[in-house]
Each structure stands twice: as structure tokens, then as C-alpha cells.
Amino acid sequence: AGTPPSICTSVQNVDGRHGRSARTRAALLEAAVEIICTDGVAAVTQRAVARRAETSLASTTYHFRTADDLLVAAFELTASRTIGDMRA
């Protein structure tokens, strides 16, 4: 039995996507999770996530139409990983 996973776990291999687009999307999700962990959900904006991920605001809006879409994806990914880790 180890430490249970948390929302602050690193994001990798997102949705089976490949290449630069997948890396950008993963970086955006990781940035969103980091902001949630350090500053809270209310601090997650597309601009803040782009800044943290060191990418353009356009990249953020390309992958996630709204900040809410980004939050949903971050929580879904985290929940999916947590369930996977619990089953392992």
C-alpha cells in the first residue's frame, strides 16, 4: 500500500494523442492541475494556464474552448488516473 494518488500527480500520455499537439495539451492540463493545487480552482484561467505551461493563449483556446472545458478535462484525467491507480 502506498500513498494514494492526488490531483497534483503529473499529467502524461493524454488521451492517446501523439506528437507536439499531445505534448501541448498535456502541458496545459499539467499547468491547470498545478494552479488548482497551488492557487485553487478560481485561479484557473486560460491566460494563467498558458503562462504556466509556457505556451500561447491561442494554444490554450485551441485545445480547450473555455476555462471550464479545461477544468473538466483536468478533473476527468485526474479521476481516471486515480481510479486506475486504485485498481492496480
Side-chain angles (χ1 to χ4, degrees), residues 4 6-7 12 14-15 18 29 36 39 43 50-51 71 85:
S6 75
I7 191 171
Q12 300 169 1
V14 179
D15 293 340
H18 301 284
L29 286 171
I36 291 166
D39 304 319
R51 189 176 321 116
L71 283 169
D85 289 346

Side-chain angles (χ1 to χ4, degrees), residues 23-84:
R23 287 190 301 273
T24 300
R25 190 173 190 278
L28 292 167
L29 286 171
E30 185 168 344
V33 171
E34 289 172 3
I35 292 169
I36 291 166
C37 291
T38 59
D39 304 319
V41 172
V44 176
T45 65
Q46 288 180 317
R47 191 170 307 279
V49 169
R51 189 176 321 116
R52 177 74 60 101
E54 298 180 355
T55 191
S56 68
L57 179 58
S59 289
T60 307
T61 58
Y62 172 81
H63 289 282
F64 304 98
R65 196 176 57 114
T66 67
D68 286 344
D69 293 340
L70 179 57
L71 283 169
V72 167
F75 283 121
E76 285 176 342
L77 179 62
T78 301
S80 173
R81 290 189 175 196
T82 300
I83 290 167

